Amino acid sequence: DAKTTQPPSMDCAEGRAANLPCNHSTISGNEYVYWYRQIHSQGPQYIIHGLKNNETNEMASLIITEDRKSSTLILPHATLRDTAVYYCIVRPWGSNYQLIWGAGTKLIIKP
Amino acid sequence: SAVISQKPSRDICQRGTSLTIQCQVDSQVTMMFWYRQQPGQSLTLIATANQGSEATYESGFVIDKFPISRPNLTFSTLTVSNMSPEDSSIYLCSVNRGPGDEQFFGPGTRLTVL
């Protein structure tokens, strides 16, 4: 079973920051938080991952609480093309660990 | 990033037949995975394709139904055997290049079984 909890859906206005929350209260010390998204009819796309420090890349920022029990993915200036299902996943570092997918959050960006 | 292609991109098949899906990666990768995504659902891992040995299947998936080959580090196939309408799904190939690397996904194969 997935170790994360996300709201099933969210709306955001185009041009605004989209803040997607994720709860992972049972996260272990060696587990990272990964975010992927799946645009309709496409394969999932990696966005960002982190352990305990906040992370930023060209796509998004990841804010992880100090106790690591929750995190927030931030899309700073959402566009219509960001409409997708966003998945928050926790897993240990290393290639031998599979991703366990929950239901994700369907983010709809509105004009 | 790794570039992954899948063939076919979609197919409509008759009940009782089999379909083989191909996954090609543009570089050598350590791990290759096959997922199923049923309509409106999240992804479910079918198996890990191991190079040079039998695939490792997840609970609920068996080799007779989903035989997998991985002849080298850039290619794998998944066969959906003796298909029924319940097999109608998107089948996704995913790869991981090494420890700590993120997973990359192919575009998926949309299968409809009549």
Side-chain angles (χ1 to χ4, degrees):
Chain A
D1 290 344
K3 296 181 65 174
T4 61
T5 304
Q6 299 176 253
S9 64
M10 292 181 62
D11 292 345
C12 180
E14 187 178 19
R16 298 280 193 162
N19 296 279
L20 292 93
C22 179
N23 287 322
H24 32 81
S25 58
T26 61
I27 192 170
S28 300
N30 67 337
E31 289 181 318
Y32 284 67
V33 180
Y34 287 79
W35 283 84
Y36 284 77
R37 73 180 182 184
Q38 188 174 26
I39 296 170
H40 184 62
S41 296
Q42 297 184 22
Q45 176 190 21
Y46 165 81
I47 301 174
I48 198 168
H49 74 278
L51 181 63
K52 57 182 179 180
N53 297 320
N54 299 337
E55 302 288 344
T56 295
N57 63 20
E58 65 278 3
M59 288 184 68
S61 294
L62 174 60
I63 309 298
I64 302 174
T65 57
E66 192 168 343
D67 63 7
R68 303 211 319 123
K69 293 185 176 182
S70 65
S71 61
T72 301
L73 178 75
I74 301 173
L75 307 178
H77 304 288
T79 71
L80 297 179
R81 290 176 295 179
D82 291 322
T83 292
V85 178
Y86 287 76
Y87 295 96
C88 169
I89 301 167
V90 297
R91 72 154 191 167
W93 186 253
S95 60
N96 293 330
Y97 298 98
Q98 290 82 18
L99 299 170
I100 308 297
W101 300 75
T105 295
K106 180 159 180 62
L107 175 67
I108 299 174
I109 307 300
K110 298 189 172 181
Chain B
S1 65
V3 177
I4 305 166
S5 60
Q6 286 186 233
K7 290 181 181 180
S9 59
R10 59 178 62 227
D11 207 342
I12 300 173
C13 300
Q14 295 297 319
R15 180 196 299 261
T17 63
S18 297
L19 176 71
T20 295
I21 303 168
Q22 299 180 3
C23 176
Q24 179 73 54
V25 192
D26 68 339
S27 58
Q28 294 185 347
V29 294
T30 304
M31 309 288 284
M32 295 183 79
F33 306 95
W34 286 98
Y35 287 85
R36 180 175 74 182
Q37 187 171 29
Q38 295 177 303
Q41 303 295 312
S42 185
L43 282 74
T44 301
L45 181 65
I46 298 172
T48 302
N50 302 308
Q51 195 267 329
S53 64
E54 214 168 80
T56 304
Y57 289 84
E58 297 299 306
S59 175
F61 297 96
V62 295
I63 187 171
D64 289 346
K65 176 66 176 177
F66 298 101
I68 288 171
S69 78
R70 188 173 175 195
N72 57 51
L73 294 175
T74 64
F75 185 79
S76 178
T77 67
L78 168 75
T79 299
V80 185
S81 302
N82 189 24
M83 289 183 286
S84 67
E86 292 71 35
D87 294 319
S88 296
S89 293
I90 298 173
Y91 291 86
L92 292 150
C93 172
S94 172
V95 305
N96 184 304
R97 292 174 301 186
D101 192 23
E102 62 266 25
Q103 282 193 15
F104 299 96
F105 287 80
T109 296
R110 184 180 294 273
L111 171 62
T112 302
V113 183
L114 303 177

